[in-house]
Amino acid sequence: MSVRVHPAAKRIYFFDEGNTSRDLLGGKGAGLAEMTAAGLPVPMGFTITTQACLQYYEDGKRLSESFQEQLREAIAELERRTGKRFNDPEAPLLVSVRSGARVSMPGMMDTILNIGLNDETVEGIARLTNNERFAWDAYRRLIAMFSTTVYGLDKDLFEEPLERRKDELGVKNDPEVDADSWRALVEEYKRIAAQHTADGFPQDVNEQVTRAIEAVFNSWHSKRAIDYRRYNRIPDDLGTAVNIVQMVFGNMGDDSGTGVAFTRDPNTGERVLFGEYLYNAQGEDVVAGIRTPVRISDLERTQPHIYRQFVEIAQRLEKHYRDVQDLEFTVERGKLYMLQTRNAKRSAEAAVRIALDLVNEGIIDRATAVGRVDARALDQLFHARIDPNERFAVAAKGLNASPGAAAGRVVFDADEAVAWAERGEEVVLVRVETTPDDVHGMIAARGVLTAKGGATSHAAVVARGMGKPCVAGCEALQIDRRNKRASLAGAEFGEGDWITIDGTTGNVAVGKLRLIPPPAKLPERLATLLEWADAQRRLEVWANADTPEDARKARDLGAQGIGLCRTEHMFMQRDRLPVVQEMILANTPEARATALTRLLPFQREDFVGILEAMAGLPVTIRLLDPPLHEFLPSLETLLVETTELRLTKGIDSPDYQLREAVLKRVQQMHEQNPMLGLRVCRLGILYPEIYETQVRAIFEAACDLVQRGIDARPEVMIPGVGSIREMQVTAANARRVAEEVLRERNCRLSYHVGTMIELPRACVIADELAGEAEFFSFGTNDLTQTTYGYSRDDAENSFIPRYLEQRILPDDPFQILDRKGVGALMQLAVEKGRSSRDDLKIGICGEHGGEPSSVAFCEHIGLNYVSCSPYRVPIARLAAAQAALGVLE
Amino acid sequence: MSVRVHPAAKRIYFFDEGNTSRDLLGGKGAGLAEMTAAGLPVPMGFTITTQACLQYYEDGKRLSESFQEQLREAIAELERRTGKRFNDPEAPLLVSVRSGARVSMPGMMDTILNIGLNDETVEGIARLTNNERFAWDAYRRLIAMFSTTVYGLDKDLFEEPLERRKDELGVKNDPEVDADSWRALVEEYKRIAAQHTADGFPQDVNEQVTRAIEAVFNSWHSKRAIDYRRYNRIPDDLGTAVNIVQMVFGNMGDDSGTGVAFTRDPNTGERVLFGEYLYNAQGEDVVAGIRTPVRISDLERTQPHIYRQFVEIAQRLEKHYRDVQDLEFTVERGKLYMLQTRNAKRSAEAAVRIALDLVNEGIIDRATAVGRVDARALDQLFHARIDPNERFAVAAKGLNASPGAAAGRVVFDADEAVAWAERGEEVVLVRVETTPDDVHGMIAARGVLTAKGGATSHAAVVARGMGKPCVAGCEALQIDRRNKRASLAGAEFGEGDWITIDGTTGNVAVGKLRLIPPPAKLPERLATLLEWADAQRRLEVWANADTPEDARKARDLGAQGIGLCRTEHMFMQRDRLPVVQEMILANTPEARATALTRLLPFQREDFVGILEAMAGLPVTIRLLDPPLHEFLPSLETLLVETTELRLTKGIDSPDYQLREAVLKRVQQMHEQNPMLGLRVCRLGILYPEIYETQVRAIFEAACDLVQRGIDARPEVMIPGVGSIREMQVTAANARRVAEEVLRERNCRLSYHVGTMIELPRACVIADELAGEAEFFSFGTNDLTQTTYGYSRDDAENSFIPRYLEQRILPDDPFQILDRKGVGALMQLAVEKGRSSRDDLKIGICGEHGGEPSSVAFCEHIGLNYVSCSPYRVPIARLAAAQAALGVLE
């Protein structure tokens, strides 16, 4: 939700002004204001609004005069309240500058502490605290933090002199460094800053603040922040707020310290205070992992009153926000200060448990609980995971580009991946980045790890399309292709060594970790949550399944029908393919009919299995869809083979002649653009015997079941209809054959004949089509292809990654339904279809049917059901409920 | 325009009832009624309406009771008026039954004469006329005509006995056959009819009439009539009327006779009475060509009063109808009877001349004249024609399936066609019918002749798509493929012999006839007519042209701009292709830029030529559009070549390695569905240097011209835009480069940047696109492909002919714009586009831009211009005027 910018509006709110708008103040600012209002111990300070950030960009990255005026006033007010002043060695005011957007985001500048120190005030602090070590330590921290975040200098520039100094002193930890050493380091840091930047570290505190604010604003448009927003579908026009908070110090002795805590365990959801505390340290030390923190419960032993106060505050905050809180706090000389409260990020498993517990504790109602779990995150639960009992070192972390875990032997080359996989090895393809030339290797691999590239890189887009785990942009990965070796933040490995990647978290480990396959049944707590979701949703959730096993799985996961049963997969099976090829290569309708007659029992058997698995529920069977040459040997292979036979065995050899005859036929059937060629219902019109055989198999199967007392509910779906006569002719044939079978078998059965809407023209003439079709099912994969004019096979492998990177497209339209284009055509089809048949049942069976935002769109335009792959059924159930509740747009 | 059927309405009108509705009475009936009203000599009779025909079909091909009642009453009334009666030997009533739809149509039953004769009434006629010979001749004619048209028996069944009889008598012409011979033939004819049909020839005259009426009705849905209607875009739901007319006899002696005449010459348009007359004959004799008729002016010598009366009537009718009339008449014993008047069919040349002359004679105004010439027919004038001075025998006539004339050596096989063509021979491909396997042969041939198949056969559809002459369904053609011989109604020829086909008329001649190429300039009369058309039209007419020659031709033919200049054709030229390939195979942007720099002068030179040819008029240049691999060697060829090199020269040979490297790159670029792949603006976004080079070439060319004082008006068109960012990025780049060049050259120039609308998504987001694009041009070829999901290359060659045959599609949507689907999306785009930019200029540059019905649609939805190939510019000018006048829907 975007905020309109008014140039001269109020841009700054003190924490105690009573404004708690997250849109305006960001998450952190709103939390500080709410805690202040609740009387909790919060340092003094104020928040610069998100509108100030938007104004900054509107003004061409300049802080406006009116804003600077407000800032001066706010600082003066803070000085009045604290009795301290910027640049005043007698009573220096120190602050932290903390970014805080509406949703917290990695990639944005986080925090600069100790702003207010300069060559003069540092002496004042030393005097006032009577702690020279502390003062110079704080100052060197400021210079380093300022230089890295505001100027973007490399951290190592500052780490190295410190490490050198510690070596000289023969000490290991920062607290052992003495005051003089810190003072000397400050001089060195200032030199480094001056050397690598135009202006050096600014002595004027007002300039420190201004520069820090600008750095926060700029970080809103950093590449990583943009990537993160794109991947998480966060709009770009929200802007970030900035908080200016009076410093409190956790590093003023053993009665001081700093901590982070969650009100419940964010991994499991268990109701225990979960957190870490570091004595005598500033916040950044916790994050930096320089010293090992203790469990927060340790405080109960050392500072029981602080611990009790904190526990009480944590509970109040959780109750106030009705959700698990993620807290930051500091203890300064025995006094507790709350620095942040926000809704905690949590694993999918924890999210489900917490939602259930909060309902059971009477804190939220079921509908709220349903809205609390990110439907996208459920996906994690249905991919392979690293066994939580595995103890392992994370060698490095990359971008969680495509979920699921994979373990395999390392290969550095796509051809090698194929070669190893053909020997029966499980491999993980490890590349600097992937290109279209690597796709065969990606297909052969269990997972993909790349050193470069973000969530929209080729590797990420293609892996997601394939449903394969991928960790992308793992910057610690160094590859030495020539020697087939690589290193991962120090860990060395070579071709054939095992690694394990976790595309859900981005973790990479060297070695072969135990993986847990996705559960076959719904975990109990999730089942309960989804029952609550079911009570909220209007949309039905069906599944796409081509086999009885998949149908059973789908039903177990809550599918209310089969929205798409593809019959071509049945044709592809090893024992049937020769018959299918015979059918295709037939020269006469009679020869074709003979081959089809042999296929009929196979098809019938398939349908018996699926209809039985779904007894009592509708099973939508799509008649043959792909171009026939998909069932024939590849033209390219045949060209090479016949050329070889011609040169080795000669033109008169039977081997050559046989192969050449097949080549001729395949060439005849070859199409420039098979996606737009002789396929879908066009097949059924040119070769009516194919569809008739399929319909016969469907109804013979249904009759078999009905006569065994099983409630079979077949629905016949005609693919790729673009003109009314196609619908009329194929539907009439289907109904005729169905009635014939029912008569022959003396069987009664209710069934429907409908169509896939997968061509723009079908959307435009949907009113006519609905006169014949008893249901519609949007085939959004094909509809996306034709609406955009993109071939998915070609596009995802070539220009879509580049388009996402260059922001030509906001999303891959094959992953996330394109509402503006494809969606508009769908909406037209819904309106037109229902205008001629009120009770027209309309669903979606493209892959979008299991993607939450797309499900929400389907709810908005009033579809009857979404259909998706079995493992996505839970996601769709939850998303449908959230869409109905209005919490998923 | 369809008529709603009311079961019990009035279905029969006498000629003198004053009703002259063509919709109700058909052309013939309305003409008879009008002539009757004008007091002209017309035999008595009545018309059965088209609604009776529709009712007949609605009732499942049954004549309703209510209709039969009306028919009985009408016959009784006719009997009263004539004083004669059916089945009455004393005063037998004889009638003709004549079909007459709103528009006259080959393929429908025409006429049965002499109905009313049976074994008894024939004697009465013989007595009453005192002419036994005449009576039995009339009777045998009836039986033959009735048997062939009502029962569908073969004409030869009746011709053979007659020929045999004439041989026996030793005579040549029918009038020499005596009464007894006719009487004997009648007996033989009755036997033949009885033998070949269930009921034989009916003696009951009422049954004769009823059967004849049914036969006329049935012929409305004969295959040929349907094909004709489809090809000529006549609706199927008009129905035909039937006329029952009292017989008059032209075969009652030398003072009798029958004739047909046109009020002007239908071939040239010259203002002379043009027609033929046959003494002592019935109408069918003229058509049958048994005896050679005389010129109509011969009557002036033999029966001057009849001639004068006829000339006066002819002039009155032409004046009355304000158009050239096609007249049928009979003289019975010195008395003239008019049997038909209708607007005459005429050649395109005649149509133009007549329209002009009628204006000059003050009979019609210019706007009417513009509406009088069939825009589609103008096409004839712009194809090669057989030299009118050639005297030749038409060996046979087939269907005029694709216009233009071609002469070539006969080949019976597609591969042969290619082989002969490669030797530099001109060939005509002669086949029983064509299939997709013949396409390469069709490409190699000058024209195509088939024995089977109608206007929607594979040969017809593909030839029209290629713009090649085709005569299809030439039933007289017999092919002996084994011996490479064929015969054409007796004329024999073999492979390599010359034939000439005329796809405009359907004529086929053995031998090599002189052809006249299409005129480079507009014929003078046509130029005048088109000037009048220009005064009526709102739509501008532009042309598609890729070369200066084409641009000049287009301008000469009246083009007001270039709507589509394809730049890829320039890339294909022999001297440039290697550089283009170098550009494509480049591994870096720099290498690509170097190759592009070498292409730039070529492109600039092309643009200079076209912009100069069109000085003062807009030239819309489309940036590169096709997938890059179109410029590379074919993958299939490379596969064969590398396999050959591998086996013959070995894997280490440089030849193999070189070829293999090219193969690798081509494989990398290979796409599953190139139509939906990396092409259009996607190229320009992934390889911006390509578009930038093109834009630079355009503006450097324009500046060169402007600085020479020539008014160059380039318009830059971005192809295949589907998302707003594509438009923004490519348009911004184009404008940037354009401004750069203008600055460098210090040149001022007005230009626009617009886009092709050729994807459904572009239509849906047209409002957004119009924010960036200064003009739209519908690329209806691609838009049709994506809206239907048809690849034109594949579809027209495989399922479209079958679809047309089976009437799944009313028309080939690549020939005639699909208004319901593609058109609806266009309309949406027009509305949305203009909603965000009022003055948005919108055109069409698909091949539909020169097809009259599609032009009319463009007028209806308010486009600014249509753009078509140069030779179609005159057609589009006329069609645009007719659409504006409302005479072309």
Side-chain angles (χ1 to χ4, degrees), chain A residues 625-643:
Chain A
D625 180 270
L628 292 182
H629 59 66
E630 284 198 6
F631 302 103
L632 298 178
S634 106
L635 175 60
E636 300 185 20
T637 310
L638 282 169
L639 278 169
V640 172
E641 286 176 4
T642 46
T643 308

Side-chain angles (χ1 to χ4, degrees), chain B residues 452-466:
Chain B
K452 286 192 186 170
T456 60
S457 63
H458 179 268
V461 172
V462 175
R464 280 200 296 275
M466 294 176 179

Side-chain angles (χ1 to χ4, degrees), chain A residues 437 644 646 668 672-676 682 686 726 761 764 768 787-789 791 794 803 818 820, chain B residues 437 644 646 668 672-676 682 686 726 761 768 787-789 791 794 802-803 818 820:
Chain A
D437 299 342
E644 284 172 353
R646 174 162 55 79
Q668 275 172 14
Q672 301 293 315
N673 298 283
M675 185 61 63
L676 306 178
R682 299 159 206 166
L686 263 58
E726 286 175 326
R761 196 170 191 279
V764 175
E768 286 189 1
T787 302
Y788 271 97
S791 157
D794 301 311
Y803 263 31
D818 158 46
K820 197 172 263 177
Chain B
D437 300 341
E644 284 173 352
R646 175 163 53 81
Q668 276 173 14
Q672 300 293 315
N673 298 284
M675 185 61 63
L676 306 177
R682 299 160 205 165
L686 263 58
E726 286 175 326
R761 197 170 190 281
E768 286 190 359
T787 302
Y788 270 97
S791 157
D794 301 309
R802 298 278 296 272
Y803 263 32
D818 158 46
K820 197 172 264 177

Side-chain angles (χ1 to χ4, degrees), chain A residues 52 85 101 104 287 358 494 509 517 536 570 584 588 788:
Chain A
R85 296 167 55 85
S104 83
V287 180
L358 291 178
Q536 302 295 337
M570 304 171 183
I584 296 169
T588 63
Y788 271 97

